[in-house]
Amino acid sequence: QGQGFTATFLLLFAVLLYELVQIFTPFFVPLFWAMVLARLSYPLYERLRRATGDRERLAAGLLTLGVMVCAVLPAFYLGTILVKETLQGVEALQQWVREGGLDTLRVLIAGLPVVGTTAQRLLERMGDFTQGLDAQTVAQAEGLGVVLFERLTGLAQTLVSVTTGFLIMLFALFQFFRNGRRIYQLLYAAIPLDKTHKQRLLTRMDDTVVAVVRGITAMVLIDGCIAATTFALLGVPFPLVLGGLAGLLALFAGGTVLIPVLVAGGLLWTGAVGKAMLLLVVMGLMMLIVDNGVVPMLIGHGAQVPMPILFFASVGGLSVFGMLGLVLGPVLVAIASAAFLIYRADFQSWAVDPE
């Protein structure tokens, strides 16, 4: 009878856990980032709580407000500039087509050594290239404004979704500040391991989260700032947009070089060979020092996991979980590493050496 009751209870408990997971799945992304932000800023919350006379609600509210201000105001400012520069880019593209940019491009392609003639033939085989493409492309360029207006509806829906997720994250962040320690103690007590193993597991996971988030943030900010500053000094149009894209693409393998190489190609096309070479040199040094030096050192030292494994964990996590995988992948690797150490300590030591 006791075994039957236990089996029934465990079954009902598993069903309840499954239903809870289904309920909270739509909020997984904002809850996850709220936990990450709460962990990174929790020492600041503790100092603020002591400064306010142990008023948890006040300290949590002030810090949540600070996170909101630090996130919303820069995002609004950068978003405004991004939209402005994007619209300027669309206008520049339309003007370039009107001024015969396609004819110039056709001449440049035909003048390329070895491949120029072949490329020109391929282009001419794609229909009446010399007569119909200019008018068609001009019409398409003129219609970019219409297409952009039609896409605004989808952009507005995305904006509403992002705003909702951000508000959910702020609410969860406030609760994690107030009740984070109690939640941690509850989960700590529920883990069915002895104290030493629990401490090792949670410490490894915590160190990995902090190291990966700090390393990724440092890489995106440093790469983006260096790229945007270099573009601006070289007189490249839309430096903020291009620098922001360069910083974001640094999250992906080989993405750091994509924007600088395209910009360098544009500079070479305009005859600015010196600027193009200087840009490639600066971006190469950035990849060498920042992407392959400082950031791996920060992440690898904090996570205590070999950098090649962290690299594959981040890339694989990105393909499986999306942007969350950049953090979740290394965290899962760190948990697996800690579990392997526990296995070696508790189980492998029992094995008898065949010799």
Side-chain angles (χ1 to χ4, degrees):
Q1 184 177 359
Q3 292 179 350
F5 174 78
T6 302
T8 303
F9 173 78
L10 291 178
L11 178 61
L12 290 176
F13 186 65
V15 171
L16 286 174
L17 286 179
Y18 174 79
E19 295 298 333
L20 286 176
V21 169
Q22 296 299 312
I23 291 173
F24 284 96
T25 295
F27 312 107
F28 178 74
V29 174
L31 289 177
F32 179 82
W33 289 119
M35 286 190 289
V36 171
L37 285 175
R39 168 58 190 92
L40 295 176
S41 56
Y42 201 79
L44 180 60
Y45 164 76
E46 287 291 335
R47 289 195 292 269
L48 189 60
R49 182 180 61 81
R50 289 192 294 268
T52 56
D54 289 332
R55 298 177 181 176
E56 295 182 351
R57 187 186 297 271
L58 177 60
L62 290 175
L63 192 54
T64 304
L65 181 62
V67 170
M68 182 182 69
V69 172
C70 292
V72 170
L73 293 183
F76 179 78
Y77 174 72
L78 293 176
T80 302
I81 297 179
L82 179 65
V83 171
K84 179 181 177 181
E85 292 192 355
T86 302
L87 292 176
Q88 290 175 351
V90 172
E91 183 179 353
L93 174 62
Q94 295 174 349
Q95 186 67 24
W96 177 78
V97 173
R98 294 193 198 98
E99 293 176 355
L102 287 175
D103 292 330
T104 304
L105 180 61
R106 192 182 309 126
V107 172
L108 289 174
I109 292 176
L112 291 175
V114 182
V115 299
T117 305
T118 304
Q120 181 70 8
R121 286 183 189 147
L122 290 175
L123 290 174
E124 290 178 353
R125 289 175 183 175
M126 297 171 59
D128 191 5
F129 181 80
T130 58
Q131 298 180 2
L133 185 59
D134 285 344
Q136 180 182 359
T137 308
V138 169
Q140 291 177 351
E142 295 292 343
L144 283 176
V146 178
V147 174
L148 186 62
F149 177 78
E150 293 176 350
R151 295 294 177 86
L152 286 178
T153 303
L155 181 62
Q157 294 175 350
T158 304
L159 183 61
V160 170
S161 177
V162 171
T163 303
T164 303
F166 181 73
L167 294 176
I168 294 174
M169 186 199 71
L170 288 179
F171 175 76
L173 183 62
F174 175 80
Q175 299 299 327
F176 287 145
F177 282 142
R178 282 192 61 201
N179 306 303
R181 185 176 296 277
R182 289 184 284 271
I183 294 174
Y184 174 82
Q185 292 173 349
L186 179 64
L187 295 177
Y188 184 87
I191 297 176
L193 296 173
D194 62 62
K195 184 176 180 180
T196 303
H197 293 334
K198 285 193 288 189
Q199 194 65 34
R200 174 185 295 174
L201 186 68
L202 294 176
T203 300
R204 181 66 64 89
M205 183 174 64
D206 179 71
D207 291 342
T208 302
V209 169
V210 173
V212 171
V213 172
R214 286 179 178 174
I216 290 176
T217 304
M219 180 176 63
V220 171
L221 292 179
I222 294 175
D223 286 1
C225 290
I226 292 177
T229 303
T230 305
F231 294 153
L233 293 176
L234 294 178
V236 176
F238 321 118
L240 186 61
V241 173
L242 295 175
L245 288 175
L248 291 176
L249 290 175
L251 297 172
F252 307 94
T256 306
V257 301
L258 179 59
I259 299 299
V261 167
L262 293 177
V263 173
L267 292 174
L268 287 173
W269 182 30
T270 60
V273 179
K275 290 183 178 181
M277 295 298 103
L278 179 60
L279 174 61
L280 293 177
V281 169
V282 172
M283 293 298 104
L285 291 175
M286 180 187 72
M287 288 185 59
L288 180 64
I289 297 174
V290 179
D291 295 1
N292 298 311
V294 177
V295 173
M297 182 181 64
L298 290 175
I299 297 178
H301 178 73
Q304 300 180 4
V305 176
M307 192 58 205
I309 297 179
L310 283 178
F311 170 77
F312 287 113
S314 298
V315 174
L318 186 66
S319 64
V320 175
F321 301 107
M323 293 301 294
L324 286 180
L326 291 172
V327 179
L328 199 56
V331 168
L332 293 177
V333 168
I335 294 175
S337 175
F340 177 72
L341 294 177
I342 293 173
Y343 163 77
R344 290 189 60 185
D346 285 2
F347 297 98
Q348 195 173 20
S349 59
W350 296 351
V352 179
D353 192 344
E355 299 179 359

